[in-house]
Amino acid sequence: MRIGIISDIHGNFTALEAVLHALGTVDQLWCLGDLVGYGGQPNECVECIRERTTHVLRGNHDLAALGLLTTEEFNATAAAAAQWTGEQLTQENRAFLEFLPEMKVEMQRYTLAHGTPRDPIWEYLLNGMQAIENLHLIDTPMCFVGHSHVPLYFNEKGQGGIAGDGKTVSHQTLKFERIIANPGSVGQPRDQNPLAAYLVLDTFPMKLTWHRVAYDIAEAQGHILRAGLPAVLANRLAYGK
Ligand code: ZN
């Protein structure tokens, strides 16, 4: 089985289309949350995800746009984007986001969480110690998380790090190591690389491969600026941070 894993689309439909095109045919598509927030095309993203994915989680920005999470911990631009997104979402798309889980286990093998198993909404997993602690909390051999917008992986010894374009974790490794992995962000990468990120999980033989794909950043920026959202949200797409 070939499974596409994506996360943190953030209303960037231009990037989402480029990722889905590059990904090609998959047996399943999993989305680890934050479909909206920051970008100028939230409804297009939710509708596409509704149609294409087999498993979807909700993230902190989805909850904030629905008014189900306070934006006190958000910076001013994120809060403004959450407010605007909430006003744009159609009734159907709101209802879809509202009933998504924050964490789930698939095929008894894969734990999916937006943040981490320990805190599916707020924890940013960025180091090996956090990976060790979180892998202790779950039983599955693999765990996929989003939220940090940084493509990476760690094993249960805390070894690993950032996963660049083309990085693979092989069948041999996955046979012996439990892994926690982040596909990176489709719509707002933060690893100094502006290209949209996604991850492919092949299940036989088991293999993980990280990918990056170019998209029309100027188009995505245009949607943000025309929506009247803060310009910094458009500018950062060019730098990947
Ligand atoms: Zn996010």
Side-chain angles (χ1 to χ4, degrees), residues 6-17 31 33-49 61-62 65 81-82 84-85 88-89 97 149 185-188 215-217 219-225 227 229 233 237:
I6 59 176
S7 191
D8 296 278
I9 298 153
H10 284 290
N12 186 342
F13 186 57
T14 316
L16 178 59
E17 280 193 304
C31 173
D34 277 3
L35 286 65
V36 301
Y38 296 132
Q41 292 188 287
N43 284 309
E44 289 84 345
C45 289
V46 178
E47 273 146 31
C48 179
I49 290 297
H61 286 263
D62 303 316
W84 177 85
T85 302
Q88 306 305 310
L89 284 174
L97 292 174
H149 299 207
S185 168
V186 170
Q188 196 198 75
Y215 71 98
D216 190 342
I217 290 176
E219 187 183 304
Q221 290 172 323
H223 285 293
I224 290 171
L225 297 173
L229 289 164
L233 296 176
L237 296 181

Side-chain angles (χ1 to χ4, degrees), residues 32-221:
L32 307 177
D34 277 3
L35 286 65
V36 301
Y38 296 132
Q41 292 188 287
N43 284 309
E44 289 84 345
C45 289
V46 178
E47 273 146 31
C48 179
I49 290 297
R50 280 168 60 188
E51 213 170 280
R52 299 285 296 269
T53 53
T54 37
H55 302 300
V56 195
L57 306 178
R58 62 185 192 181
N60 54 319
H61 286 263
D62 303 316
L63 288 169
L66 295 172
L68 297 175
L69 187 75
T70 164
T71 52
E72 274 166 26
E73 305 219 7
F74 281 32
N75 61 40
T77 49
Q83 164 93 32
W84 177 85
T85 302
E87 291 159 8
Q88 306 305 310
L89 284 174
T90 65
Q91 214 47 263
E92 277 181 334
N93 288 338
R94 292 184 73 88
F96 174 76
L97 292 174
E98 204 171 323
F99 292 103
L100 295 175
E102 283 147 21
M103 183 159 129
K104 68 190 305 191
V105 175
E106 279 313 311
M107 303 170 214
Q108 299 170 316
R109 264 199 91 77
Y110 312 103
T111 301
L112 317 181
H114 177 65
T116 61
R118 176 164 57 193
D119 184 346
I121 292 301
W122 286 115
E123 185 178 12
Y124 291 91
L125 190 146
L126 289 165
N127 64 54
M129 186 50 73
Q130 289 173 288
I132 293 169
E133 290 165 2
N134 274 285
L135 282 168
H136 271 305
L137 299 176
I138 57 172
D139 298 325
T140 59
M142 271 199 225
C143 177
F144 296 102
V145 300
H147 193 48
S148 71
H149 299 207
V150 178
L152 50 73
Y153 74 100
F154 291 104
N155 64 19
E156 59 191 326
K157 291 183 191 143
Q159 297 159 331
I162 292 195
D165 190 10
K167 168 72 188 173
T168 63
V169 177
S170 71
H171 175 62
Q172 281 81 354
T173 303
L174 294 171
K175 232 166 40 181
F176 300 108
E177 293 180 10
R178 295 176 69 224
I179 291 260
I180 191 159
N182 188 322
S185 168
V186 170
Q188 196 198 75
R190 293 181 193 159
D191 60 337
Q192 326 289 321
N193 178 350
L195 305 187
Y198 64 99
L199 176 63
V200 174
L201 163 65
D202 289 296
T203 60
F204 189 80
M206 186 81 74
K207 188 172 102 170
L208 289 172
T209 312
W210 280 261
H211 295 275
R212 302 305 280 259
V213 60
Y215 71 98
D216 190 342
I217 290 176
E219 187 183 304
Q221 290 172 323

